[in-house]
């Protein structure tokens, strides 16, 4: 793997780290399997690209993209909480609808950003090589978001959100409305994912309606990989594990694609990722079966 | 003060599974009163508590707390006034959260849950002091997830949680039923202590005649959704478990005798 491929994987890993944060919030904190991310990721790219092409400031366009993701999350939450649709199905409905909405926003299935200013342009103009500038900027953003999210989850509000996922009955008895926290959590989750999508589009120079396929699995792979590497209960460490998991996952993929010995093609990525996630989900069960602990609290 | 005015609760209304859990129940509980509730399975004991807490909306009638109508409100809106301990130790706590996180959730009951840190030093000190009085060494296990605790430890912690934030009413729904006899007796003694310490209006559902008569100052017996016995004071002091069992037999709930010790 050469330096270009390495930094490319690093950049991708950090950008998808935002997706991992989002998936962590929905899957792990809220216990809400949310497929909305499959459309909120390209939505972020679509809004950012359409905005930039229309002459908006790239930073403003990125923030609008995040806001768009929040709205997508709120729609899923509305379908699940208010309409009582099963959470998985509610998120699939938003995901499917999002595909059409994304094409409407862009006016076509994809937009090229070559030659347009992006959030990375300022750093590039300052003399930084874009090969390093992109992962560096993405990392600064991911780090800032990590601190913010960790603090949010340590607050009274964040604790109630965790209870909404862990034991809604208990939260109700303690005066919290689990539905309210589902709204907040899914909005934040999809906002993060859409911001990731906006960065992805700007880093790669295009927005495409199909880039969302597999987003949920990439996010989940990062979350699970991180949890395996850093077993902890501390929120900031868990978030850091998401970021680390995402980066390591991308590096492993880049390595596998770069090494001819495996005979892998770029198009094998989804298959390999799905296998990886399935294996990671089954592993704890197999471990319990073959290596039962004598004293298990559950 | 708690008032039930002609309250009926119906589950699965209009279907083949329709069950009337409470039938036209009227009841007044004075502030500071500790009432125990007994009855056979399906008598409506738990529904009485669920209706008061907002989990079951009455089909007819009205429930008032301190003169304000509360029936029809969801449970989280009533939580500021009504604290609860459930039968299942798993229900009242979040297994994957630590003990101190569970306590912090309870400390915020009924209040705004904002941006400030859930676990402050002063809060931890309060938690430690309150847990210390249990004598279960839980004060040194604040950072452990609740999943590591036994059912009895969880119920004891649940009682602390229910009395951390101020409330008017405490509802205990067979909170000792899932515990071994020794632990059940211990949790009951904690319950009596909480009653005298916090000046709460309490309703306690129990399957144990002994506990029903030894706790609080008033006992209700429910059968098929109706209150068939309501005794307090001297009359109750003279009553033995035998009398209650006879009452059950008269009501035709005899088959549940084994359940009632």
């Amino acid at each position: 793997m050469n330096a270009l491929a390495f930094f490319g994987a690093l950049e991708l890993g950090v950008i998808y780290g935002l997706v991992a944060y989002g998936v962590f919030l929905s899957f792990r904190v809220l216990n809400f399997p949310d497929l909305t991310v499959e459309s909120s990721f390209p939505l972020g790219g679509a809004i950012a690209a359409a905005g930039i092409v229309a002459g908006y400031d790239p930073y403003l366009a990125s923030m609008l993209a995040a806001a768009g993701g929040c709205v997508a999350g709120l729609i899923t939450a509305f379908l699940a909480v208010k309409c009582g649709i099963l959470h998985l199905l509610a998120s699939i409905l938003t995901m499917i609808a999002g595909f059409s909405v994304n094409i409407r926003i862009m006016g076509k299935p994809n937009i090229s950003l070559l030659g347009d200013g992006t959030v990375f342009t300022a750093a590039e103009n300052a003399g930084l090589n874009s090969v390093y500038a992109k992962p560096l900027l993405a990392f600064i953003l991911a780090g800032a978001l990590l601190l913010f999210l960790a603090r949010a989850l340590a607050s009274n509000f964040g604790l109630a959100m965790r209870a909404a996922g862990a034991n809604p009955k208990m939260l109700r008895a303690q005066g919290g409305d689990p539905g309210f926290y589902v709204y907040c959590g899914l909005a934040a989750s999809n906002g993060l994912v859409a911001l990731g999508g906006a960065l992805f589009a700007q880093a790669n120079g295009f927005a495409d309606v199909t880039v969302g396929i597999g987003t949920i699995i990439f996010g989940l792979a990062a979350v699970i990989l991180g949890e395996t590497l850093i077993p902890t209960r501390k929120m900031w460490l868990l978030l850091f594990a998401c970021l680390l998991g995402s980066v390591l996952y991308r590096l492993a993929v880049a390595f596998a694609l770069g090494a001819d010995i495996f005979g892998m093609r770029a198009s094998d990525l989804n298959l390999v990722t799905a296998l990886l996630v399935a294996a990671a989900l089954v592993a704890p069960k197999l471990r319990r079966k073959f290596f039962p602990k004598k004293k298990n609290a559950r | 003060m708690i008032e039930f005015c002609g309250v009926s609760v119906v589950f699965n209304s209009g279907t083949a599974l329709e069950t009337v859990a409470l039938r036209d129940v009227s009841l007044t509980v004075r502030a500071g009163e500790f009432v125990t509730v007994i009855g056979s399975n399906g008598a409506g004991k738990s529904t009485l508590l669920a209706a008061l807490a907002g989990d079951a909306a009455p089909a007819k009638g009205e429930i008032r707390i301190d003169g304000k109508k509360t029936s029809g409100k969801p449970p989280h809106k009533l939580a500021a006034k009504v604290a609860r301990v459930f039968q299942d130790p798993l229900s009242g706590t979040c297994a994957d959260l630590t003990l101190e996180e569970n306590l912090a959730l309870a400390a915020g009951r009924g209040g705004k849950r904002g941006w400030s840190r859930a676990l402050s030093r002063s809060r931890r000190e309060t938690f430690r002091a309150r847990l210390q009085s249990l004598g279960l060494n839980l004060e040194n296990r604040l950072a452990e997830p609740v999943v590591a605790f036994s059912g009895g430890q969880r119920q004891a912690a649940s009682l602390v949680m229910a009395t951390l934030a101020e409330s008017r009413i405490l509802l205990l729904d067979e909170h000792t039923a899932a515990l071994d006899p020794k632990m059940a007796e211990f949790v009951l003694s904690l319950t009596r202590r909480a009653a005298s310490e916090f000046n709460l209006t309490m309703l306690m559902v129990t399957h144990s005649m002994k506990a029903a008569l030894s706790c609080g100052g008033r006992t209700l017996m429910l059968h098929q959704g109706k209150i068939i016995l309501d005794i307090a004071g001297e009359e109750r002091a003279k009553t033995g478990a035998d009398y209650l069992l006879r009452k059950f037999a008269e009501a035709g709930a005899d088959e549940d005798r084994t359940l009632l010790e």
Side-chain angles (χ1 to χ4, degrees):
Chain A
M1 186 162 44
N2 59 25
L4 200 65
F6 176 80
F7 282 106
L10 203 60
E11 168 196 318
L12 212 52
V14 176
I15 289 175
Y16 270 95
L18 304 191
V19 174
Y21 292 164
V23 170
F24 175 76
L25 279 183
S26 57
F27 259 76
R28 286 292 185 258
V29 175
L30 282 177
N31 204 9
F32 189 121
D34 179 24
L35 297 192
T36 315
V37 294
E38 298 260 319
S39 71
S40 52
F41 188 78
L43 174 69
I47 294 177
I52 289 169
V53 168
Y56 285 94
D57 178 75
Y59 294 96
L60 176 66
S62 303
M63 275 191 270
L64 287 174
C70 292
V71 173
L74 288 176
I75 291 170
T76 299
F78 175 79
L79 291 173
V81 175
K82 205 80 186 172
C83 307
I85 299 173
L86 179 71
H87 44 28
L88 199 60
L89 189 56
S91 70
I92 290 175
L93 289 173
T94 317
M95 174 187 108
I96 294 291
F99 188 83
S100 305
V101 173
N102 290 344
I103 294 179
R104 279 277 177 184
I105 289 171
M106 292 194 288
K108 50 193 174 181
N110 48 58
I111 291 180
S112 167
L113 283 174
L114 295 175
D116 291 292
T118 70
V119 289
F120 301 109
T121 313
E124 286 161 12
N125 289 346
L128 263 173
N129 189 326
S130 83
V131 174
Y132 315 114
K134 286 178 189 170
L136 184 69
L137 275 180
F139 184 75
I140 290 170
L141 179 67
L145 284 170
L146 187 153
L147 293 177
F148 173 78
L149 288 172
R151 178 64 183 81
L153 287 170
S155 69
N156 284 306
F157 171 83
L159 196 56
M161 185 179 283
R162 292 166 66 193
N167 189 347
K169 182 181 178 182
M170 181 263 199
L171 180 63
R172 255 182 236 115
Q174 301 300 344
D177 177 8
F180 169 73
Y181 293 98
V182 170
Y183 277 103
C184 297
L186 288 192
S189 165
N190 285 285
L192 285 163
V193 173
L195 187 59
L199 290 188
F200 180 84
Q202 294 176 66
N204 288 288
F206 70 92
D208 191 298
V209 73
T210 61
V211 293
I213 297 170
T215 305
I216 184 69
I217 296 300
F218 298 140
L220 208 50
V223 171
I224 293 172
L225 191 59
E227 281 171 349
T228 315
L229 292 173
I230 311 179
T232 175
R233 286 185 183 278
K234 289 201 171 72
M235 276 295 137
W236 73 268
L237 258 182
L238 278 168
L239 287 161
F240 177 72
C242 292
L243 186 59
L244 183 72
S246 179
V247 169
L248 290 181
Y249 164 73
R250 287 292 162 180
L251 286 176
V253 166
F255 175 76
L257 290 177
D260 278 336
I261 38 170
F262 296 117
M264 275 175 51
R265 296 184 198 162
S267 56
D268 295 334
L269 179 64
N270 285 11
L271 174 66
V272 173
T273 308
L275 288 174
L276 189 84
V277 171
L281 289 174
V282 174
K285 287 193 182 121
L286 290 179
R287 201 183 308 147
R288 267 202 294 278
K289 193 172 172 190
F290 294 111
F291 306 99
K293 278 188 200 159
K294 282 222 173 81
K295 199 181 163 191
N296 202 332
R298 277 203 184 180
Chain B
M1 192 170 68
I2 303 166
E3 291 164 283
F4 280 70
C5 307
V7 172
S8 294
V9 174
V10 185
F11 292 122
N12 302 311
S13 181
T15 71
L17 295 168
E18 183 174 296
T19 18
V20 183
L22 287 182
R23 288 169 205 274
D24 201 22
V25 168
S26 290
L27 169 73
T28 305
V29 179
R30 282 181 292 108
E33 215 171 3
F34 182 175
V35 181
T36 58
V37 184
I38 51 174
S40 52
N41 280 338
K45 313 179 295 281
S46 294
T47 309
L48 188 76
L49 265 54
L52 186 53
D55 267 340
K60 250 180 27 203
E62 201 175 290
I63 301 170
R64 289 192 286 266
I65 296 176
D66 295 332
K68 283 195 194 111
K69 184 186 169 196
T70 57
S71 42
K73 284 191 183 173
H76 61 266
K77 293 217 167 129
L78 296 175
K81 288 178 182 163
V82 183
R84 306 165 78 183
V85 179
F86 300 105
Q87 175 177 358
D88 180 4
L90 301 171
S91 294
T93 46
C94 286
D96 288 331
L97 300 192
T98 61
L99 178 58
E100 56 186 359
E101 285 169 338
N102 273 286
L103 288 163
L105 275 166
R109 177 162 45 78
K112 283 259 175 290
R113 293 177 194 274
W115 181 251
S116 59
R117 273 188 190 280
L119 294 166
S120 60
R121 182 176 295 183
S122 67
R123 256 193 180 174
R124 280 204 179 96
E125 267 162 31
T126 313
F127 297 165
R128 260 193 212 107
R130 291 294 303 280
L131 291 171
Q132 217 147 27
S133 68
L134 299 178
L136 292 174
N137 192 35
L138 292 181
E139 65 276 14
N140 296 317
R141 301 175 66 185
L142 277 174
E144 283 181 47
V146 172
V147 74
F149 296 109
S150 73
Q153 290 169 329
R154 279 191 182 196
Q155 288 305 69
S158 295
L159 259 179
V160 170
M161 285 166 64
T163 49
L164 261 180
E166 203 179 322
S167 63
R168 314 276 305 160
I169 297 165
L170 177 57
L171 303 180
L172 308 157
D173 190 359
E174 298 198 40
H175 65 310
T176 60
L179 310 179
D180 65 72
K182 203 172 141 226
M183 204 63 207
E185 192 45 55
F186 174 69
V187 171
L188 270 187
S189 71
L190 290 179
T191 309
R192 288 194 198 97
R193 214 164 77 199
S196 62
E197 221 172 293
F198 298 103
N199 188 33
L200 294 160
T201 311
M202 286 167 63
L203 286 175
M204 179 176 91
V205 169
T206 176
H207 254 120
S208 155
M209 298 291 131
K210 216 178 93 212
L213 293 173
S214 68
C215 291
R218 181 178 172 190
T219 299
L220 302 177
M221 186 188 286
L222 263 72
H223 183 61
Q224 292 182 345
K226 286 190 161 175
I227 297 172
I228 57 166
L229 185 76
D230 183 352
I231 48 173
E234 231 172 271
E235 187 192 3
R236 179 171 177 270
K238 283 188 287 185
T239 304
D242 297 346
Y243 174 74
L244 293 182
L245 286 174
R246 232 174 18 251
K247 268 284 172 190
F248 267 111
E250 279 168 32
D254 207 21
E255 69 274 18
D256 287 320
R257 186 181 275 265
T258 47
L259 282 172
L260 302 163
E261 292 182 11

